[in-house]
Amino acid sequence: MKTTFLQESLYLLKSKISRVVLVIICLLVAFAGFQAVNTQADSWQAFKITRGMYQSSAEFNQDIQKPYQIQQQSNRFGQVSTTVDNSARYNYENVIHSQNQLHSIEFTRFLFGSLGLVLFPLLTGILGISIATHDFASATYKRKLDNHTWLAVFSGKVLTLFAATAAIYVLAAVLASLLGLILPHFVKLRDLSEYGISLQALNAGDMILTVLVACLIGVVTALIWFSVGLICKRSSIAIVIFLIYQAVIPNLGRTDFKNAIMSLFSRFTNQLVLEPWPYRSISLPLSLGLTAEYVFGALILGYFIFSKKHINSLS
């Protein structure tokens, strides 16, 4: 297994896939930075509009000290409408949060909170398919099986996928932290100290938890679609199925894989900028249990369909 892991890792590092993944990571971090800057500008505009709706500053200052409540209602089409009973305080807090998330720790959390449910799993899913299918494309499975058992080949690929996915999230977190050191110097930060309200700042533990949850979702997505790649054998077919499932097929209910990861993700972040599917909230143990069942079920299916006997029968 160690030998096959090193072989797979070396292939991945030398292939075009690694360079493409590196470019995509940089683009995702840059996109999140652009998104964070726009969020800060939009929140400031909304705050100014709300402040201008008050007839006196005293009335506005009185409301901004009061808490607010949010009510959400969804219709039968899954569309959610939101109402806020105190827009002054709500928009004030949005400005503070949007400015804080331009800094290193909070920007890292913003990156994975906004892109960790859709775009990063999209990247890791395609990576899993690529690792599963490249030996079919180059007809090297049979040669590998002459020197190693199918379990060793399979395990080496899975370990490589684990390592590559973890590296994606570590690299993205490092780049986000560095960009978070630069962004505040290029954005005009608004001074709202006159209102005398202090909000609890995000600590490093919250950021790390968000990164870990996003990484978990990326890993399980990669493993499931790695198994689909083994079954399909052709990367183009597996990627088309993956994209259709991700973008076209709706949430199928409480036990659907997408519903499980959506419910899991929502428990650790409230920054769902890209929320692809309406979901039904389920308990944390059920979310974790369903996710584990999907992952192990897919891996077992992929392993037994492409056992050594089947591979050696390929012409």
Side-chain angles (χ1 to χ4, degrees):
M1 183 172 67
K2 180 180 178 181
T3 302
T4 56
F5 168 65
L6 293 175
Q7 289 175 345
E8 289 292 335
S9 300
L10 186 62
Y11 164 79
L12 188 61
L13 289 173
K14 291 182 176 181
S15 69
K16 293 182 180 179
I17 298 173
S18 60
R19 293 188 287 274
V20 171
V21 168
L22 179 60
V23 171
I24 292 175
I25 292 172
C26 294
L27 291 176
L28 289 177
V29 174
F31 173 69
F34 176 76
Q35 196 175 46
V37 170
N38 281 344
T39 300
Q40 189 266 348
D42 292 341
S43 63
W44 173 245
Q45 290 299 321
F47 178 78
K48 289 199 303 180
I49 292 172
T50 301
R51 187 172 58 183
M53 294 170 61
Y54 283 79
Q55 296 182 352
S56 67
S57 58
E59 184 182 359
F60 178 77
N61 291 340
Q62 184 178 7
D63 277 356
I64 207 173
Q65 301 297 327
K66 300 176 182 178
Y68 66 88
Q69 291 184 343
I70 297 178
Q71 293 183 346
Q72 291 184 324
Q73 292 181 336
S74 58
N75 58 25
R76 60 190 181 92
F77 300 105
Q79 298 171 328
V80 179
S81 60
T82 304
T83 57
V84 181
D85 62 357
N86 183 3
S87 59
R89 178 59 179 259
Y90 174 77
N91 287 318
Y92 167 82
E93 291 193 8
N94 278 346
V95 173
I96 298 299
H97 289 314
S98 66
Q99 294 192 153
N100 288 341
Q101 70 189 16
L102 295 173
H103 296 80
S104 187
I105 292 177
E106 295 214 16
F107 177 67
T108 303
R109 185 173 188 258
F110 174 79
L111 168 69
F112 293 106
S114 59
L115 307 183
L117 188 65
V118 180
L119 297 183
F120 275 98
L122 190 66
L123 175 61
T124 60
I126 293 177
L127 176 64
I129 292 172
S130 299
I131 290 176
T133 58
H134 74 82
D135 280 314
F136 289 115
S138 56
T140 53
Y141 261 125
K142 192 174 187 305
R143 187 176 72 238
K144 286 184 177 181
L145 289 168
D146 289 336
N147 301 310
H148 307 284
T149 65
W150 171 234
L151 179 59
V153 174
F154 180 85
S155 301
K157 286 182 175 291
V158 170
L159 287 177
T160 301
L161 185 55
F162 262 112
T165 304
I168 286 173
Y169 284 84
V170 170
L171 178 59
V174 170
L175 292 176
S177 298
L178 294 175
L179 184 58
L181 297 174
I182 300 172
L183 282 178
H185 298 287
F186 293 92
V187 178
K188 184 178 180 180
L189 301 178
R190 309 293 175 171
D191 184 10
L192 299 178
S193 59
E194 62 181 285
Y195 300 107
I197 303 174
S198 60
L199 301 178
Q200 183 178 2
L202 180 74
N203 57 49
D206 294 328
M207 181 271 290
I208 293 173
L209 181 60
T210 300
V211 174
L212 290 176
V213 172
C215 185
L216 173 63
I217 292 174
V219 168
V220 299
T221 302
L223 290 174
I224 288 175
W225 290 99
F226 165 80
S227 299
V228 174
L230 287 178
I231 295 170
C232 294
K233 296 191 293 186
R234 295 181 60 181
S235 60
S236 57
I237 296 175
I239 289 174
V240 168
I241 295 173
F242 175 49
L243 295 177
I244 290 175
Y245 176 75
Q246 290 290 95
V248 179
I249 298 177
N251 187 343
L252 300 178
R254 294 177 73 250
T255 58
D256 183 49
F257 172 69
K258 288 185 289 192
N259 192 75
I261 62 170
M262 186 75 176
S263 185
L264 175 66
F265 194 74
S266 66
R267 291 182 176 274
F268 297 98
T269 177
N270 57 0
Q271 296 175 302
L272 300 180
V273 177
L274 293 177
E275 183 175 322
W277 326 280
Y279 77 103
R280 297 177 61 184
S281 181
I282 56 179
S283 67
L284 180 60
L286 181 58
S287 298
L288 293 172
L290 287 172
T291 302
E293 286 182 9
Y294 278 112
V295 171
F296 287 113
L299 287 176
I300 291 171
L301 183 63
Y303 174 76
F304 281 105
I305 287 181
F306 286 95
S307 61
K308 181 178 179 179
K309 180 179 178 181
H310 181 80
I311 292 295
N312 285 338
S313 68
L314 294 177
S315 57

